[in-house]
Amino acid sequence: MPSRRHSPTFWMVLLVIAAILVPTTLAASRGHVSQSTRNAYNDRRAPRPVQNLDVQSADASSVRLDWSRTWDNVGVEGYGVYLDGSRKSETSESRYTLRDLACGRGYTVGVDAFDDAGNRSRKTSTVVSTSPCRDVSPPSVPTDVHSVASTENAVILAWTPSTDDFGVVGYSLYVGGFWVGRWNEPSATITNLSCGQTYQIGIEATDAAGNESARSDVFFSTARCSDHKPPAAPGNVGVTKATQTSVSLGWTASTDPSGIAEYGLYRDGAKVGTASGTTGDFGGLQCGKTYSFGVDAADNAQNRSAVASLTAATATCSTTPPPSGSTAPSAPPNLHTASVDDSTIVLRWDSSTAANGMAGYQIFRDGAKIGEGPGVHGGLTNQWTDRNADCGAQYRYAVAGVDTKGTLGPKAELSVSTPACETPPPGDNTPPPPDDTTPPPPDDTTPPPPDDTTPPPPDDTTPPPSDSADPTAPPNLHTFSVSGTTVVLRWDSSAADNGMAGYQIFRDGKKIGEGPGVHGGLTNQWTDRNATCDTRYRYAVAGVDTKGNLGPKSELIVSTSDCESTPPPSGGTTPPPSGGTTPPPSGGTTPPPPPPSDTTAPSTPTNVAASTRTETSIALAWKGSTDDVGVTGYGLYLNGSRVSTSSTTTGIFSGLKCGTNYTLAVDAVDAKGNRSQQAVLMVATSACPQAPPPPPPPPPSGGGGTQTISASDFRSRATAGATISNVVVTGSISLDSPNVTVQNATIQGGVTFNKGASGSKLINSKANHVAIWSADNILLEGNTFDGGGQVKDGITMWDQPSGDPPTGWVFRNNTFQNFYIGEGSDVHSQAIYVGYSTNGLIEGNTFTNNGTTSHIFFTWFGGVADPGSSWPRNICVRNNTFNNTHGAYYDVNFRSEIPSSSGIVIERDASSTSPQFYGSC
């Protein structure tokens, strides 16, 4: 039977039925399936990413994370937590704590969300750090502690730096177990020690966490004590002989452990000589006159005793006429040349003596009288200038004294040779340099009138042309002194339109230096120490103005003396030099040979110190030098250059810059120009004045004129010279700038005046307590200091010997109350605790409800071998009111080691442990 073909419609109907029946059959065979499960089987969508991931807390080992829940089309099953990219855990909560982390480390943390189908969202991440690791390890102990240098009062130490896992921030030093300071570097200078003493010094290293190393204890000694004690003054000084012109003294020898080096002889307050034994002679005196004499002793360390003085008179003048010929003045002693050039000779001599008194002197050249000198027609004392000499000539000069009756005494004679006339060297026809426009001196050989000793005016005083700015040639160039190896030049000042800056000095055409006004030296003086014996030089000096213009030169021919002089044969006369034609006058005698030249330099000045300092000047004082002949003055040096001289033992350097260190020096010079070694010290001028601070901001509106500020706000206002008024400060304050005034303020804590706060004031204010550290001239007036029963000390004045003690402080009309810890406590308190400080006043204050040791306590820095180096000194306590509410032991208490010589004085109505301090200021 043929098969039947179904129509397309049939097959269509069959497929529809199958589509309906097959799923129903499967469901029946498997049981019931929920709608959500059916959705999950078909879920391919991940949850949304977490939007807000926050770090709620972190410590050294854990981090807590919080996040906002997210959304999914089916539902969020939970969250994954990741650490540095690795999944650490899964949680259904929206927070998680990661634990067991490393301290001080950064981590990347993240969170994602997942659903039932395992779909995970995009990860949300952030970065977090654990807290720093806690430093509990101390630094290593300082090693290799050694002394770099030591003096009588200080030692400089250095050591190998300590190590630490987090770094060393400083070192604490202890002397004899007492803390003396903190240093940032592995070296320290400890000062205010005693000479010749051994100290135990400990050093501890400290790291940033405050961990301290074990202490490295070592022993060091200061240098041996120098001899600063003067000898005993000579005793029993008396006159052993007196004539009309001299007095001789004798005395009992002085004593000194280092030995006596010499005795100084003084007449009318001036030192005139020395003696090696216990006798001394004073000559050149006038008859019948009373003088003040003195003798002191110098030991081998150049310490000088007090001067033992007495007055004594020479023998009375004779009233009977002396034998014939004996009334004339004595011959002038020590006739010599002060300077010699090819046309001018300057003579000098010491004074003659005459029974009738001296009237003057007559001066002769080659037997002819050429003038009458000092005392008659003026001029420098005992000096004559002959301006009519010729080059290459020899002259015999003579000087005789004249008394008030016109009697002429015997002559003192001297042979003098002028330098040879200048002849140019062969072949040297080079014209002078173009800048040398100084005209030669006029050929004026006409002698002046006999009674005219006034030096002629300088050759060149004409100012430069109006269109020239160059200085004029220095007038009156001359020699101040000449020896075999040294020539000292002097001149008068040049003039310049632009002002003078200095001078240039030339020798034989070559510049040898820049003089006063530029690189130091005495004003208008130059010393050439590089000359050669018996040599002729041409010197020149030219002025330089402030714009650097060099003026014309002034020139001078100078011949140095022979290095060795051969005395003439006994009884002979000095022949003229070869070629000389001028014989000595008939009957003349050759003067005795000059005394041996002085080549011994004076001793070095000692005890050089700055007596005063300002912003632009420094004044020095020193102990005088000694010399076998006599000290004539002192040279003052600034940064290596001599800038001035002094005839006394003081000098001043001016025109300096403020707040600048300078190297200053002093040397001594004798009459022959011998100079001592320089005594050198470094000194700084006073600090530069600071610009006035800006005015403080006005108080906030509605504040009633009083402003509340923080301690940091206060610090920003407390600049140099500021005045801070009507404020309440929330906390303790610290002053570091000078001349700050705080008035009508309430400080809710303490006030500290550090070293930079000198000159500052606290007036009519309230505070808990005050500490003053190395700040000078602090004024506390009209304040109330209230310890509230919790503060140990009201005012602390305390500094170690290594620091600068506070000085010049005043505590006036303040109230100190409630400074006590409690009755029976082992810890005591004081309203004012005065340690290492000087020059203070405690006046008109009121002390109430304080205890339990004392209201005022004076102490010193313990552990110092010599307590005297750290005593408080020169302090006055007067007119105060003490109320012993808590039974303070004493109003004023002292450490027993402080002596009355410290200069502390207290009023008698205050009870004290040391009544020897009672007195009036």
Side-chain angles (χ1 to χ4, degrees), residues 482-509:
V482 179
S483 68
T485 58
T486 303
V487 176
V488 181
L489 304 176
R490 282 187 178 176
W491 58 91
D492 294 339
S493 298
S494 297
D497 294 344
N498 299 313
M500 289 298 297
Y503 299 88
Q504 294 185 8
I505 296 88
F506 303 82
R507 190 180 75 183
D508 295 337

Side-chain angles (χ1 to χ4, degrees), residues 793-810:
D793 300 313
I795 295 182
T796 301
M797 297 283 296
W798 183 255
D799 204 353
Q800 300 92 25
S802 61
D804 297 326
T807 187
W809 45 270
V810 175

Side-chain angles (χ1 to χ4, degrees), residues 67 78-82 87-91 110-114 120:
W67 58 88
Y79 301 90
V81 182
Y82 296 80
R87 191 162 63 227
K88 300 295 292 184
S89 183
E90 292 183 343
T91 178
V111 176
D112 65 2
F114 60 90
R120 306 194 79 91

Side-chain angles (χ1 to χ4, degrees), residues 527-681:
T527 301
D528 181 5
R529 302 183 186 279
N530 299 314
T532 303
C533 300
D534 196 22
T535 303
R536 189 167 178 270
Y537 295 101
R538 177 181 290 276
Y539 289 92
V541 179
V544 181
D545 66 13
T546 56
K547 292 189 175 181
N549 298 312
L550 184 68
K553 299 174 181 174
S554 293
E555 293 194 346
L556 180 67
I557 302 297
V558 180
S559 295
T560 57
S561 59
D562 294 339
C563 290
E564 296 182 0
S565 298
T566 303
S570 174
T573 60
T574 305
S578 177
T581 59
T582 306
S586 175
T589 59
T590 303
S597 60
D598 176 17
T599 60
T600 302
S603 65
T604 304
T606 58
N607 298 343
V608 181
S611 55
T612 58
R613 294 183 301 156
T614 69
E615 296 169 8
T616 59
S617 67
I618 299 172
L620 296 185
W622 57 89
K623 189 174 182 179
S625 299
T626 58
D627 186 72
D628 54 346
V629 175
V631 175
T632 59
Y634 299 88
L636 305 180
Y637 297 79
L638 175 67
N639 293 337
S641 297
R642 190 161 77 232
V643 295
S644 63
T645 61
S646 174
S647 59
T648 66
T649 55
T650 61
I652 189 167
F653 298 81
S654 57
L656 309 180
K657 295 181 180 179
C658 58
T660 303
N661 281 313
Y662 289 93
T663 299
L664 308 180
V666 181
D667 67 3
V669 63
D670 62 17
K672 291 296 184 180
N674 301 306
R675 306 199 78 90
S676 72
Q677 294 291 322
Q678 295 180 5
V680 181
L681 76 163

Side-chain angles (χ1 to χ4, degrees), residues 338-346 348 380 383 385-387 455-459 473-482 486-493 505 523-528 537 539-541 553-559:
S339 64
V340 179
D341 61 28
D342 53 1
S343 63
T344 304
I345 297 173
V346 180
R348 286 183 182 171
L380 294 175
Q383 176 171 307
T385 300
D386 182 6
R387 303 182 185 278
D459 293 336
N476 192 27
L477 176 62
H478 62 282
T479 57
F480 176 69
S481 65
V482 179
T486 303
V487 176
V488 181
L489 304 176
R490 282 187 178 176
W491 58 91
D492 294 339
S493 298
I505 296 88
T523 301
N524 301 355
Q525 175 171 310
W526 182 266
T527 301
D528 181 5
Y537 295 101
Y539 289 92
V541 179
K553 299 174 181 174
S554 293
E555 293 194 346
L556 180 67
I557 302 297
V558 180
S559 295

